């Protein structure tokens, strides 16, 4: 499924994907959709993202039925190589020699122990760009610390600014450290590639997921280091705009986001709610007044929204020029008319899992293309990659297979 | 010469020239990332200045357009000019700046750009090799194209508000804990990272096509595209996500976010080997060895009792004590760090994750490199510009030379 017939921007780029879980597979997914040839090294002993649920119904526990794999590995090629064998490591080293970019998010030190660290690969391929992603990065006293996304979130300071009014710190949703650091990784390798095209110089990129997360909270970091001010949790409120919140709508667990910036917008909102008394209430005449009396404003707004259907209220507020939108769940994103109209909701057809929807590249380019294809079956491209790219002949291939190196 | 600092290495994007006409976080952050990694960025402000100049944080909270923390963070490594784009002479200056640029970044409303004849179509006709990157709340097409959106509304419509609090945290009560937006510009920042990435993609593509490109970023789409976990579940189970604290949401237990003696901590030990080590480190309390918690199914079934028992234990220890224990036991337990604690941690110090800056004459620190490039390291080359600081450089000599 090619969305645009134009030339793919990263056509000709070859990437070796040693990633796992979400962060680096997310990075190489975007690189693949933008045209790069992404070679995934996996094995029956190291199943990348193939082991976690959900699975396609009737294919529970099967490597080719994995939801995470089949979405995150779209348009990549699968090469099964067992890196616990010396011959397997040699193959991976030779593959790295044929690539522009290598990415990994193993624990710190794992690749070095396998003889596949940046320094070894750079000896063979001095122009190689290697992006290595860890929860706390590859340096510092915490470089070996275990880092689930929640640990990254809790360390980064983001949890300190997330929470209900005067309540305790909460964890931001979406396992966001993974895709966010994955996106920064795409930026990083493209910047490094730009540098290499000018200078011929490759390099090592050390990605710490917590540092990516810290870029979300400059205000709070500066307020603390400048003024010694520590955050107080304020729900979804803003320091400047009021009302600015997520309010109950009529049906159970439906919610509307409303953000009022100007006095004119507040007046418009009062008209939509048909509440002239709000309009004349001296407490709410200015943004400052609404902010000081935000608790009272929030109660009034919610008294109105809880009687309304979320989509009707959004329509009426938007027609009056007030920023408002429904709180959407992930399943609703797949059916969202705006995201569908933008071409963001894509469908790939997998031989085991069937037709599945996911979200694609979140921007449009008028002179360049994007290409979406299904994920590979386990080992689907091993033979083609080893014989074509590495020139391994059929005889040697059969020997590797017999020795279990390609399992 | 011993002891002289080495001259700063060029950034990886050293030969790129960027013109920014933007406001707030998303557009300025796009250009900041390009500038942080070596591109020459000229930021155009209207005479009123970027709105972040009025947002702070300010020293002691006293408003000063030249001492706003958020502005100074978002605009380091840029030159600054002030131009009235409503004035034809001003627009001519913008055009001259674009003559020598590779990239034009804007997140101003489309009608504002159209009035100034700076909309993507018009600009690209005049500058066919230019990469024009625009960011809008919902994109330039579709039923929401004309609707109003900001940080909060795009975040709400991305799936991320519904998912917050998130894994292994979750709502105890659906009605009392609404979907939540954090107190930071998470949506605009994501849109900025995405737009900077998209811009570099188009720069690479231009080498092949010899053509410029309109890179058109939807902020809602950018944040939504990050929701891979919840999207995968929706795509493969057909079920809506559940935001209530229970095994349907969280999976196997224990996988909790719990209070401890001096803060909060995640305790993740649903795998048998982790559970066994956890029981060992709790000194094998009788409850943990009882039939109620004998295997992962039982622990998941009796998760409410399990959670209360674990809280009794975590409340006897500090976050640091629990983390030290987890390190010894190789268990995924991790404490909450306040910004104060994060900022003073050895990890942040050793990696220089925060960098020293001056705000209104006072020392402060701000986030530095989002990743470390060994050959072309991130550098603070120049502080954010004062309003119109480089008018002399860019609106006279250099642009005149180009004309």
């Amino acid at each position: 499924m090619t969305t645009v017939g134009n030339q793919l921007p990263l056509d000709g780029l070859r990437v070796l994907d040693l990633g796992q879980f979400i962060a680096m597979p997310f990075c190489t997914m975007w690189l693949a959709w933008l045209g790069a040839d992404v070679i995934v090294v996996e094995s029956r002993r190291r199943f990348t993202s193939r082991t976690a649920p959900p699975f396609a119904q009737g294919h529970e526990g099967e490597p080719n039925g994995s939801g995470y794999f089949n979405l995150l590995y779209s348009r990549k090629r699968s090469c099964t190589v067992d890196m616990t064998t010396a011959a397997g490591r040699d193959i991976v080293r030779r593959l790295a020699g044929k690539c522009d970019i290598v990415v990994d998010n193993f624990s710190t030190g794992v690749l070095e122990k396998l003889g596949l660290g940046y320094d070894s690969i750079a000896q063979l391929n001095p122009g190689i760009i290697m992006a290595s992603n860890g929860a706390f990065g590859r340096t510092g006293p915490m470089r070996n610390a275990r880092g689930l996304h929640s640990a990254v979130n809790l360390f980064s300071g983001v949890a300190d600014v997330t929470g209900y009014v005067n309540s305790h710190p909460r964890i931001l949703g979406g396992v966001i450290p993974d895709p966010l650091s994955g996106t920064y990784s795409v930026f990083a390798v493209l910047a490094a590639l730009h540098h290499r095209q000018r200078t011929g110089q490759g390099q090592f990129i050390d990605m710490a997921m917590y540092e990516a997360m810290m870029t979300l909270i400059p205000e709070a970091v500066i307020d603390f280091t400048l003024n010694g001010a520590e955050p107080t949790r304020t729900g979804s409120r803003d320091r400047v705009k009021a009302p600015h919140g997520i309010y109950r709508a009529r049906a159970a667990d439906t919610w509307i986001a409303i953000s009022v910036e100007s006095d004119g917008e507040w007046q418009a909102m009062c008209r939509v709610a048909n509440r002239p008394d709000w309009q004349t209430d001296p407490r709410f005449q200015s943004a400052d007044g609404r902010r000081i009396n935000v608790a009272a404003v929030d109660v009034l707004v919610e008294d109105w929204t809880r009687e309304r259907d979320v989509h009707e209220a959004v329509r009426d507020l938007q027609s009056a020029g007030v920023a408002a939108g429904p709180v959407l769940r992930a399943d609703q994103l797949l059916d969202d008319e705006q995201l569908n109209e933008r071409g963001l909701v894509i469908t790939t057809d997998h031989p085991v899992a069937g037709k599945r929807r996911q979200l694609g590249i979140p921007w449009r380019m008028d002179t360049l293309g994007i290409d979406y294809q299904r994920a590979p079956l386990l080992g689907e491209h091993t033979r083609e990659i080893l014989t074509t790219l590495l020139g391994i002949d059929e005889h040697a291939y059969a020997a590797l297979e017999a020795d279990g190196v390609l399992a | 010469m011993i002891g002289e600092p080495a001259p700063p290495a060029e950034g990886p994007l050293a030969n790129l020239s960027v013109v920014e006409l933007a406001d707030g976080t998303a557009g300025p952050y796009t250009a900041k990332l390009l500038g942080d990694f070596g591109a020459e960025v000229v930021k155009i402000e209207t005479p009123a200045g970027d709105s972040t100049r009025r947002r702070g944080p300010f020293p002691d909270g006293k408003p000063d357009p030249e001492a706003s923390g958020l502005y100074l963070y978002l605009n380091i490594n840029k030159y600054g000019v002030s131009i009235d784009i409503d004035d034809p002479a001003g627009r001519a200056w913008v055009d001259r700046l674009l003559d020598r640029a590779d990239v034009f970044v804007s997140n101003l409303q489309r009608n504002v750009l159209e009035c100034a004849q700076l909309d993507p179509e018009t600009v690209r006709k005049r500058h066919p090799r230019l990469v024009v990157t625009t960011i809008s709340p919902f994109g330039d097409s579709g039923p929401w194209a004309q609707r109003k959106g900001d940080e909060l509304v795009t975040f709400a419509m991305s799936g991320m508000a519904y998912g917050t609090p998130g894994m292994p945290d979750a709502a105890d009560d659906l009605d009392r804990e609404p979907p939540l937006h954090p107190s930071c510009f998470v949506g605009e920042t994501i849109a900025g990272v995405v737009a900077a990435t998209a811009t570099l993609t188009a720069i690479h593509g231009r080498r092949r096509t010899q053509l410029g490109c309109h890179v058109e970023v939807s902020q809602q789409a950018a944040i939504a595209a990050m929701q891979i976990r919840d999207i995968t579940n929706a795509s493969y189970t057909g079920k809506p996500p559940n935001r209530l604290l229970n095994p349907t949401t969280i999976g196997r237990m224990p996988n909790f976010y719990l209070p401890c003696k001096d803060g909060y901590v995640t305790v993740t030990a649903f795998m048998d080997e982790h559970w066994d080590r956890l029981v060992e480190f709790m000194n094998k309390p009788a409850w943990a060895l009882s039939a109620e918690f004998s295997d992962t199914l039982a622990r998941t079934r009796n998760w409410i009792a399990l959670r209360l028992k674990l809280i009794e234990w975590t409340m006897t220890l500090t976050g640091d004590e629990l983390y030290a224990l987890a390190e010894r036991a190789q268990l995924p337990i991790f404490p909450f760090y306040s910004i104060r604690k994060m900022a003073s941690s050895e990890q942040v110090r050793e990696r220089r994750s925060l960098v020293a800056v001056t705000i209104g004459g006072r020392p402060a620190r701000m986030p530095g490199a989002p990743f470390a490039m060994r050959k072309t390291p991130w550098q603070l080359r120049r502080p954010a510009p004062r309003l119109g600081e480089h008018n002399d450089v860019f609106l006279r000599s250099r642009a005149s030379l180009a004309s």
Side-chain angles (χ1 to χ4, degrees):
Chain A
M1 172 183 163
T2 303
T3 49
V4 187
N6 289 328
Q7 187 143 26
L8 302 176
L10 304 184
D11 193 17
L13 195 67
R14 192 175 293 130
V15 180
L16 191 64
D17 182 352
L18 305 179
Q20 51 194 338
F21 312 122
I22 293 178
M24 289 323 249
F26 187 90
C27 161
T28 54
M29 174 175 76
W30 279 17
L31 293 173
W33 286 344
L34 295 166
D37 173 18
V38 176
I39 296 173
V40 178
V41 173
E42 51 178 345
S43 124
R44 283 168 185 79
R45 292 194 181 165
R46 192 183 82 84
F47 267 149
T48 53
S49 310
R50 290 188 189 267
T51 51
F55 291 93
Q57 212 177 358
H59 299 279
E60 286 79 9
E62 293 176 21
N64 291 323
S66 155
Y68 278 111
F69 186 90
N70 289 342
L71 300 190
L72 279 165
Y73 286 75
S74 165
R75 202 183 178 270
K76 302 181 193 176
R77 296 199 286 163
S78 166
C79 183
T80 43
V81 179
D82 184 355
M83 286 199 280
T84 65
T85 67
R89 291 192 291 277
D90 184 56
I91 289 173
V92 173
R93 207 173 293 117
R94 287 166 66 193
L95 285 172
K98 300 279 185 185
C99 286
D100 302 286
I101 293 163
V102 178
V103 308
D104 88 282
N105 54 333
F106 282 108
S107 296
T108 299
V110 168
L111 277 187
E112 285 75 11
K113 274 185 207 145
L114 294 173
L116 295 167
Y118 171 76
D119 293 332
S120 323
I121 292 174
Q123 274 182 6
L124 193 73
N125 181 358
I128 196 76
I129 291 160
M130 185 156 178
S132 190
N133 181 313
F136 298 97
R138 300 310 190 193
T139 62
M142 291 176 79
R143 65 185 179 279
N144 295 315
R146 288 162 168 270
L148 299 172
H149 78 93
S150 52
V152 172
N153 209 309
L154 288 173
F155 181 79
S156 68
V158 172
D160 209 0
V161 302
T162 309
Y164 299 99
V165 179
N166 297 322
S167 185
H168 64 284
R170 307 301 292 259
I171 297 176
L172 193 60
V175 299
I176 198 70
D178 281 83
L180 181 64
S181 67
T183 307
Y184 271 114
S185 302
V186 179
F187 178 84
V189 298
L190 292 181
L193 197 64
H194 188 84
H195 179 73
R196 192 181 79 177
Q197 274 153 350
R198 289 196 309 126
T199 63
Q201 196 176 47
Q203 64 180 310
F204 181 75
I205 305 165
D206 169 7
M207 316 274 320
M209 292 165 87
Y210 83 85
E211 288 174 340
M213 288 297 283
M214 277 171 38
T215 67
L216 302 178
I217 54 165
E219 284 175 285
V221 169
I222 292 167
D223 208 12
F224 172 68
T225 57
L226 178 67
N227 294 318
E230 297 201 61
T232 49
R233 262 82 55 194
T234 56
S236 298
R237 290 173 185 162
D238 184 57
R239 286 200 288 124
V240 177
K241 301 180 186 178
H244 182 278
I246 290 175
Y247 305 95
R248 284 163 191 77
R250 194 169 56 209
D253 202 28
T254 62
W255 307 85
I256 179 171
I258 301 173
S259 174
V260 169
E261 182 157 32
S262 67
D263 296 339
E265 287 170 7
W266 170 247
Q267 298 294 329
M269 170 151 185
C270 297
R271 285 193 295 274
V272 169
N274 195 21
R275 291 294 299 263
D277 53 319
W278 299 356
Q279 220 163 340
T280 53
D281 193 319
R283 290 176 300 168
F284 309 145
Q285 293 303 303
S286 69
D288 278 345
R290 291 189 298 277
R291 197 171 65 241
I292 292 161
N293 298 291
V294 65
V297 172
D298 281 348
V299 168
L300 290 177
V301 171
E302 194 156 87
D303 279 346
W304 174 67
T305 58
R306 70 191 322 154
E307 303 299 326
R308 299 292 313 267
D309 172 76
V310 60
H311 296 288
E312 283 172 25
V314 165
R315 185 198 58 208
D316 292 350
L317 287 169
Q318 283 282 356
S319 303
V322 178
V327 170
L328 297 179
R329 301 186 310 249
D331 58 315
Q332 293 170 323
L333 296 181
L334 292 172
D335 295 323
D336 182 63
E337 56 172 352
Q338 179 66 17
L339 296 179
N340 274 280
E341 162 71 28
R342 298 281 303 165
L344 189 72
V345 182
I346 58 161
T347 303
T348 52
D349 195 355
H350 187 274
V352 172
K355 284 191 176 152
R356 298 289 170 174
R357 292 186 295 170
Q358 70 188 106
L359 301 183
I361 292 283
W363 67 82
R364 287 181 158 185
M365 297 176 286
D366 57 357
T367 56
L368 292 162
I370 299 169
D371 184 38
Y372 300 112
Q373 304 287 343
R374 71 166 172 87
L377 301 172
L378 180 64
E380 183 173 346
H381 305 96
T382 312
R383 181 181 295 271
E384 127 192 344
I385 288 166
L386 296 199
T387 54
T388 312
L389 200 58
L390 298 189
I392 291 175
D393 64 29
E394 284 299 328
H395 184 72
Y397 186 90
L400 286 169
E401 213 169 23
D403 290 344
V405 174
L406 308 182
Chain B
M1 297 296 282
I2 290 169
E4 283 282 303
E10 278 195 325
L13 307 177
N15 67 337
L16 282 186
S17 164
V18 178
V19 173
E20 170 203 318
L21 176 63
D23 189 77
T25 291
Y29 192 58
T30 307
K32 174 192 193 290
L33 274 176
L34 299 170
D36 279 356
F37 289 97
E40 178 197 85
V41 178
V42 180
K43 177 185 181 74
I44 300 172
E45 290 179 88
T46 60
D50 194 308
S51 63
T52 57
R53 288 182 180 275
R54 295 179 286 283
R55 191 169 169 98
F58 302 105
D60 299 325
K62 289 182 193 130
D64 171 356
E66 299 299 352
S68 160
L70 184 61
Y71 172 84
L72 295 175
Y73 166 77
L74 287 169
N75 296 292
I76 59 168
N77 291 330
K78 299 180 187 178
Y79 296 94
V81 298
S82 63
I83 296 179
D84 180 2
I85 59 167
D86 295 330
D87 173 24
R91 292 206 291 269
W93 282 118
V94 176
D95 238 357
R96 273 180 241 177
L97 289 172
L98 291 176
D99 272 339
R100 45 187 294 281
D102 299 286
V103 175
F104 178 48
V105 176
S106 187
N107 66 335
L108 299 192
Q109 283 180 18
R110 196 178 165 89
N111 59 352
V112 173
L113 293 177
E114 277 167 7
C115 285
Q117 291 157 37
L118 289 168
D119 56 284
E121 295 73 26
T122 310
V123 166
R124 288 197 50 218
K125 262 183 216 136
R126 294 201 296 264
H127 308 280
R129 271 180 56 80
L130 195 64
V131 170
V132 179
T133 301
T134 59
I135 305 160
S136 59
F138 307 106
D140 287 352
S141 61
W144 277 72
Q146 305 299 324
R147 291 192 168 182
K148 241 184 206 174
D150 66 353
E151 165 66 36
L152 178 72
V153 172
T154 54
F155 183 83
M157 294 180 67
S158 75
M160 201 162 162
Y162 193 84
T164 302
M167 246 331 235
D169 195 3
D172 282 312
D173 178 323
L174 284 188
D175 201 47
R176 287 176 45 209
E177 295 181 13
L180 183 63
H181 177 261
S183 300
C184 62
F185 287 103
V186 50
E188 287 207 38
T189 306
I190 288 171
V193 182
V194 164
T197 304
T199 302
L200 284 191
T201 303
I203 289 289
H204 281 284
R206 185 174 74 169
R207 227 174 256 115
R208 316 177 151 275
T209 61
Q210 299 301 315
L211 289 171
C213 188
H214 179 199
V215 174
E216 201 235 302
V217 182
S218 148
Q219 186 165 305
Q220 180 206 11
I223 316 166
M226 303 289 126
Q227 311 307 310
I228 182 80
R229 171 181 178 265
D230 291 343
I231 290 288
T232 303
N233 282 314
S235 180
Y236 268 68
T237 67
K239 288 182 195 147
N242 179 345
R243 58 188 195 88
L244 201 55
L245 178 61
N246 62 39
T248 314
T249 308
I250 305 295
R252 290 180 292 159
M253 300 289 190
N255 189 9
F256 293 123
Y257 178 56
L258 303 172
C260 65
K261 201 173 181 179
D262 66 343
Y264 299 87
V265 67
T266 51
V267 176
T268 304
F270 54 81
M271 286 164 67
D272 284 337
E273 52 166 328
H274 288 156
W275 171 255
D276 292 345
R277 267 182 273 154
L278 179 63
V279 171
E280 191 107 349
F281 269 82
M282 290 190 294
N283 291 323
K284 299 188 181 170
W287 67 264
L289 302 169
S290 70
E292 209 182 346
F293 308 113
S294 59
D295 59 38
T296 182
L297 281 177
R299 291 190 287 274
T300 303
R301 192 168 54 240
N302 299 313
W303 69 275
I304 295 175
L306 175 62
R307 182 162 181 265
L308 293 175
K309 286 292 182 195
L310 283 171
I311 290 174
E312 279 178 25
W313 175 66
T314 55
M315 287 301 284
T316 65
L317 296 163
T318 66
D320 285 342
E321 286 165 350
L322 283 160
Y323 184 63
L325 181 157
E327 285 289 272
R328 285 206 308 278
Q330 289 288 293
L331 278 173
I333 290 180
F334 201 88
F336 160 71
Y337 277 65
S338 63
I339 286 175
R340 172 189 293 277
K341 188 173 173 185
M342 174 274 284
S344 62
S345 71
E346 278 299 314
Q347 183 69 13
V348 163
R349 241 201 309 267
E350 194 170 314
R351 282 183 67 88
R352 297 190 183 92
S353 307
L354 298 178
V355 294
V357 290
T358 303
I359 297 178
R362 292 231 309 248
R365 288 190 290 160
M366 55 174 63
F371 49 83
M373 299 182 83
R374 209 175 262 176
K375 296 261 172 61
T376 51
W378 184 97
Q379 282 176 332
L380 206 173
R381 292 181 175 79
R382 58 182 62 254
R386 297 188 302 278
L387 183 59
E389 180 177 346
H390 302 103
N391 282 11
D392 281 353
V393 181
F394 285 93
L395 303 190
R396 299 212 163 72
S397 51
R398 294 176 76 166
S400 310
L401 283 175
S403 66

